[in-house]
Amino acid sequence: MREQFDEQLEELREDLVELCAFTVDVIDCATRALLDTDLPAADRATELNAEIDTRGRELDHRALTLIARQQPVAQDLRALIGGMHNIADLRRMGSLAAHIAEVARLHHPEPVVPYELRGIISDMGAAATAQAAAAREVLRTRDEAAALDLIWADERTDELLRKLFAATKSDDWLYGAASAVNITLLGRFYERFCDHTVEISRRVIFVITGDFPDE
């Protein structure tokens, strides 16, 4: 029984890593849709979000089944409960990326991002993609140092968001209230996407050590 449980738990971990890999692809597609007014990329982001949601629901069911049937304790219980929370984070990341793609779709073929802010949005997209990829590696390796590195890396996204907000509130803003609202929402979507990778990293550390890292 123990050997079977270990195999099922490892399969769940591997599938969670694969689910995280989908979030790398979905945020990349969403950013391309936004910056390149790329409608096929927006469609692909929507498809990937649906795939993440479907797979996430299935993984969540498997985790619940393992808890109910095996009654795990200690680190195994932390891994399963943490895994369920991670699944929720990954599903939310997919939804946030789909929201970004939907903004691009609603304004197609017109660009959403003013020329002056393309650099910041591009950097936010790159940071989100990098953090999703790092989260995938943290889930794969369960490396505490890598998890801490990802937590610290999130400051970059916060800095970019501050720059974005400053631009929309500037007296030099020429694009009207509707554009400012769009840019503010997009910045928040990217920020929240990255925040979920931080929560995944914090949870991995908890599974390893039994303690959450300091804020």
Side-chain angles (χ1 to χ4, degrees), residues 141-158:
T141 63
R142 300 191 286 278
D143 185 296
E144 184 178 357
L148 286 171
D149 286 343
L150 175 51
I151 292 170
W152 295 330
D154 190 55
E155 176 58 29
R156 172 62 173 159
T157 306
D158 294 338

Side-chain angles (χ1 to χ4, degrees), residues 1-17 58-72 76 79-80 83 87 142:
M1 288 291 292
R2 177 67 205 190
E3 183 178 345
Q4 184 182 24
F5 171 74
D6 287 342
E7 290 176 357
Q8 291 174 326
L9 185 58
E10 185 58 32
E11 287 176 2
L12 191 66
R13 287 169 177 157
E14 291 173 357
D15 289 343
L16 190 59
V17 173
E58 189 269 334
L59 288 180
D60 203 51
H61 176 75
R62 282 164 55 190
L64 277 171
T65 301
L66 281 176
I67 292 171
R69 292 181 178 175
Q70 302 295 338
Q71 298 181 333
D76 290 338
L80 284 167
I87 291 164
R142 300 191 286 278

Side-chain angles (χ1 to χ4, degrees), residues 38-87:
D38 186 336
L39 200 56
D43 292 340
R44 180 59 180 154
T46 301
E47 293 170 0
L48 286 167
N49 176 47
E51 183 74 11
I52 290 167
D53 189 64
T54 298
R55 292 191 180 210
R57 289 176 185 273
E58 189 269 334
L59 288 180
D60 203 51
H61 176 75
R62 282 164 55 190
L64 277 171
T65 301
L66 281 176
I67 292 171
R69 292 181 178 175
Q70 302 295 338
Q71 298 181 333
V73 296
Q75 190 176 56
D76 290 338
L77 182 59
R78 293 201 302 271
L80 284 167
I81 297 297
M84 291 173 66
H85 284 285
N86 288 338
I87 291 164

Side-chain angles (χ1 to χ4, degrees), residues 168-183:
T168 61
K169 295 175 182 178
S170 169
D171 292 338
D172 297 328
W173 182 256
L174 303 175
Y175 303 99
S179 179
V181 169
N182 278 332
I183 294 301

Side-chain angles (χ1 to χ4, degrees), residues 9-43:
L9 185 58
E10 185 58 32
E11 287 176 2
L12 191 66
R13 287 169 177 157
E14 291 173 357
D15 289 343
L16 190 59
V17 173
E18 185 176 350
L19 186 67
C20 192
F22 277 91
T23 68
V24 179
D25 294 336
V26 72
I27 196 64
D28 180 65
C29 286
T31 301
R32 284 193 286 110
L34 187 64
L35 293 177
D36 301 336
T37 59
D38 186 336
L39 200 56
D43 292 340

Side-chain angles (χ1 to χ4, degrees), residues 107-162:
H107 290 80
H108 187 272
E110 297 299 320
V112 180
V113 182
Y115 177 80
E116 295 89 338
L117 297 182
R118 284 179 60 85
I120 296 177
I121 292 293
S122 178
D123 287 347
M124 293 190 85
T129 300
Q131 285 189 221
R136 177 189 61 201
E137 286 305 296
V138 166
L139 288 169
R140 184 181 68 84
T141 63
R142 300 191 286 278
D143 185 296
E144 184 178 357
L148 286 171
D149 286 343
L150 175 51
I151 292 170
W152 295 330
D154 190 55
E155 176 58 29
R156 172 62 173 159
T157 306
D158 294 338
E159 177 187 350
L160 291 167
L161 185 65
R162 288 191 289 269

